[in-house]
Amino acid sequence: MQQITLTQPDDWHLHVRTGDMLKTVINHTAKQFARAIIMPNLQPPVSNVAQALSYQQEIQQATSSAYAFTPLMVLYLTNSTTIEDVKQAAESAAVQAFKLYPAGATTNSDQGVTDLQAMFPVFEAMEKHHVPLLIHGEVTDAEIDIFDRERLFIDQKLRFIHQNFPALRIVLEHVTTREAVQFVQETPANIGATITPQHLLYNRNAMLVGGIKPHYYCLPILKRESHRLALVAAATSGNPKFFLGTDSAPHLKHLKETSCGCAGCYSAYGAIELYAQAFEQANALDKLEGFASFYGADFYQLPRNTKQITLEKIDWQVPNDYAIAEGMQLTPLKAGEMLHWKLKG
Ligand code: NCD
Ligand code: ZN
């Protein structure tokens, strides 16, 4: 049988929520990944070190003791984040970064930043204290077409932030466009990007042709095929600026399958298998380990993992749903379909 062995990967962009949802999804992640960057968009958001430590403890308690897994915490930037918050984050071993959500850009972003320029003293402190800035890169103006929001964020906001804080380490999260890939390629090594499995595997037809398929709806929204191809080329290029971040974002089935469904794809159940499928389709399985296991750790200046995982070439069927609580289900990406790689053990 065909198999591949990799250094254990990390997930550099993950939503795990709280309560019953957390208890299910965290073990899907922990069985494959050694570490994950935990997104702070709870309600209320995780916006200071004390909240991050308490959320980290909740995550650790929900994780099976069978797994050695470290949740890496992130603070949510709000209009009231202070320079003192940045200093405390820099001194905390648990906190790795701040996340910038433009207000209104995505799930639970209403506490996000409304005036970027007003945040400049905070960005300056982050640059000085070597704290990375993770960015949801979409403009939010109501009149801007949803398919253009990432490209315009780069031109109108991101270039400006980078020019003003050239040494600030920035991760442009879940990139979805050719323009984002180009921006990351053209900037220095302190600008990186995560890429999700859904943006490598699908274009917007998956979501819209033959009926609206809400389980493919995430933000930034799936784009046209030429953008998907640019993302696949970037992920499989061996360029260390691009690394794995699933953006696995679980929402209960009934909240996605409704007249105004939530944004987010649930991929953590089989994340490394989904990436293996995308890399295999691109004839680039030899590039998977760098993308999944090395470049993110290098960007965050953390040690690379030393354990290994093995994937076997076996077909298996993705469950239609995962039970979260009485009458509450979570529908995974590729529900009921076949995956062609399986994590061993
Ligand atoms: C994320 C979520 O549900 O928290 N949703 C999504 O579509 N990606 C938020 C985010 O990362 O934008
Ligand atoms: Zn996300």
Side-chain angles (χ1 to χ4, degrees), residues 116 139 141 152-162:
L116 270 181
V139 294
D141 317 51
L152 292 177
F153 183 90
I154 293 165
D155 283 342
Q156 295 176 1
K157 318 276 181 186
L158 186 54
R159 286 184 200 284
F160 189 55
I161 299 174
H162 175 53

Side-chain angles (χ1 to χ4, degrees), residues 13 15 17 41 106-107 136 174 218-219 247 249 251 263-264:
H13 185 133
H15 301 266
R17 319 304 189 197
N41 60 332
T106 187
T107 308
H136 183 112
H174 41 51
C218 68
L219 290 171
D247 194 20
H251 291 276

Side-chain angles (χ1 to χ4, degrees), residues 324-345:
I324 299 302
E326 189 65 39
M328 305 277 190
Q329 292 180 314
L330 169 62
T331 303
L333 190 69
K334 275 196 184 289
E337 293 179 47
M338 301 305 284
L339 286 186
H340 309 306
W341 289 94
K342 193 164 196 336
L343 184 69
K344 191 174 171 181

